[in-house]
Structures are given as C-alpha cells and as structure tokens.
Amino acid sequence: AQDFLNPCMVSAPDIAGEDKANPLAMVLSAAMLLKYGLSEEDAANRIECAVLATLDKGFRTADLMSPGQTLVGCAKMGEEVLKALDLLSPAAVLS
C-alpha cells in the first residue's frame, strides 16, 4: 500500500525487489536537494564526488554496464557510494 511513497518503486516497478535498480539518480537527487533547496553546497559536492569516485572505480548497474566494468546491484552500488563518501574529507572536496 505504501509502495507509491518509494520513488524507486515508482520509477522502476517492473524490477522492484530484484536489486537491479540504479540508485545513482536518487542519490544525486538528494545532492540537488541539499545544494538548491537547503543551500548545503559542501554536502552536495561530497555526495557528487562520492558518486563519481564510485563510477571511477568501475562499479556499474546493469543499465550502465560496459566491458571491463564490475556489475553490481542496487544495494552494492549504494554501499560503494557510502564507502566513497566515508573516504572523502570535506577539505578534499573543496580543493
């Protein structure tokens, strides 16, 4: 009944619960909220850098997959973004 509240379910209902969705658009939407809605540009930049770092490491969901990259599901992609976020110091993002 509450599936309509979950943007991931609404945007990809055909793969809901299969760990196939790409969470990066949702993550980057949060960065946009921080930057433009809450004027938290430093926090938004950290998130954006974490996404880029994750992609630079070669992690890809099925929709972005290409030869030589590592196929991961939604949960693993999210975990990798969090790991990258943990490694980014605020000072590193600003430089």
Side-chain angles (χ1 to χ4, degrees), residues 36-57:
Y36 300 111
L38 301 175
S39 299
E40 293 288 342
E41 193 161 341
D42 292 344
N45 288 340
R46 285 188 69 212
I47 291 171
E48 291 168 354
C49 287
V51 168
L52 289 173
T54 301
L55 292 172
D56 286 347
K57 288 182 180 178

Side-chain angles (χ1 to χ4, degrees), residues 6-82:
N6 183 339
C8 293
M9 299 289 253
V10 173
S11 62
D14 55 320
I15 59 172
E18 296 182 27
D19 196 37
K20 292 181 180 178
N22 181 343
L24 297 182
M26 185 65 60
V27 171
L28 292 172
S29 292
M32 287 178 65
L33 170 68
L34 287 166
K35 184 180 287 186
Y36 300 111
L38 301 175
S39 299
E40 293 288 342
E41 193 161 341
D42 292 344
N45 288 340
R46 285 188 69 212
I47 291 171
E48 291 168 354
C49 287
V51 168
L52 289 173
T54 301
L55 292 172
D56 286 347
K57 288 182 180 178
F59 294 105
R60 300 288 189 274
T61 49
D63 60 318
L64 300 177
M65 192 58 189
S66 60
Q69 306 302 315
T70 303
L71 179 63
V72 295
C74 181
K76 177 69 173 170
M77 182 65 86
E79 290 168 11
E80 292 302 325
V81 171
L82 287 174

